[in-house]
């Protein structure tokens, strides 16, 4: 089979009673599933089934996520290559296809991350810097005058955030 879906994450809203949440994308290993509650990683308290299934499976929680909690299930594939072919052995087509599937999943996760990042327009000449300046309370980040860099800018009468 092939990785024919570009889906790699799904969000739910916890209700305090539901303990099983479906995911509809393939994972190759249980360690490839990540779970967040309100953007905080949950490394325990759940199990995953459907490993290797092209249509996904379920994440089962020991305790139901609280009412109103955003539950995010997403695939995070390690950037490794673990296939090792032996010379003069039969061609392992399933192993080979799984390797291509993993590469496709890695590309999908990189694309999804890129789509959530700050980007410059295609027409940028490559000399613009989007490195953020150090945190400075009471200042805004903006474009420095006469440069193509970001800097902290004084804001008159900026209320103290604390």
């Amino acid at each position: 089979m092939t990785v024919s879906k570009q889906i790699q994450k799904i969000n739910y809203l916890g209700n305090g009673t539901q303990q099983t949440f479906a995911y509809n994308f393939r994972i190759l290993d249980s360690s490839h599933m990540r779970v967040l509650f309100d953007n905080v990683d949950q490394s325990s308290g759940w199990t995953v089934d459907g490993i290797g299934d092209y249509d996904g499976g379920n994440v089962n929680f020991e305790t139901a996520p609280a009412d109103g909690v955003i539950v995010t299930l997403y695939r995070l594939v390690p950037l490794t290559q673990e296939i090792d072919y032996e010379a003069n052995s039969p061609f392992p087509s399933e192993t080979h296809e799984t390797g291509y599937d993993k590469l496709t999943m890695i590309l999908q996760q990189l694309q999804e991350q890129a789509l959530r990042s700050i980007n410059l327009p295609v027409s940028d000449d490559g000399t613009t810097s989007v490195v953020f300046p150090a945190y400075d309370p009471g200042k805004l980040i903006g474009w420095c005058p006469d440069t193509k860099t970001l800097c902290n800018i004084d804001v008159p009468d900026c209320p103290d955030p604390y």
Side-chain angles (χ1 to χ4, degrees):
M1 294 218 36
T2 61
V3 179
S4 59
K5 298 178 186 177
Q6 292 190 26
I7 300 165
Q8 60 188 346
K9 73 177 176 181
I10 190 165
N11 290 320
Y12 290 99
L13 192 59
N15 62 12
T17 58
Q18 182 179 351
Q19 290 181 261
T20 300
F21 293 81
Y23 65 95
N24 56 349
F25 48 86
R26 185 176 186 211
I27 60 172
L28 299 174
D29 188 270
S30 63
S31 66
H32 297 182
M33 178 58 74
R34 292 291 190 266
V35 175
L36 303 176
F37 287 176
D38 289 337
N39 290 316
V40 176
D41 187 47
Q42 304 298 307
S43 59
S44 63
W46 54 273
T47 59
V48 61
D49 62 36
I51 297 160
D53 292 349
Y54 285 90
D55 292 323
N58 295 301
V59 172
N60 304 293
F61 293 98
E62 293 171 8
T63 303
D67 188 36
V69 168
I70 297 171
V71 178
T72 303
L73 311 177
Y74 74 101
R75 179 179 62 217
L76 184 62
V77 180
L79 307 181
T80 58
Q81 194 293 103
E82 299 168 353
I83 298 172
D84 185 23
Y85 295 116
E86 293 196 26
N88 302 316
S89 64
F91 183 72
S93 60
E94 283 300 315
T95 301
H96 193 72
E97 186 171 354
T98 298
Y100 277 130
D101 288 352
K102 183 178 178 186
L103 287 174
T104 301
M105 292 175 192
I106 289 169
L107 290 171
Q108 288 175 343
Q109 82 188 29
L110 292 174
Q111 179 187 36
E112 191 273 338
Q113 290 170 0
L115 291 173
R116 287 186 289 109
S117 66
I118 296 172
N119 292 291
L120 295 171
V122 173
S123 60
D124 185 80
D125 64 5
T127 61
T128 305
S129 171
V130 289
V131 175
F132 281 79
Y135 172 73
D136 196 350
K139 296 196 176 184
L140 295 175
I141 296 173
W143 294 108
C144 299
D146 303 320
T147 68
K148 294 177 98 177
T149 61
L150 296 172
C151 59
N152 289 317
I153 299 171
D154 289 320
V155 179
D157 302 321
C158 183
D160 184 354
Y162 306 101

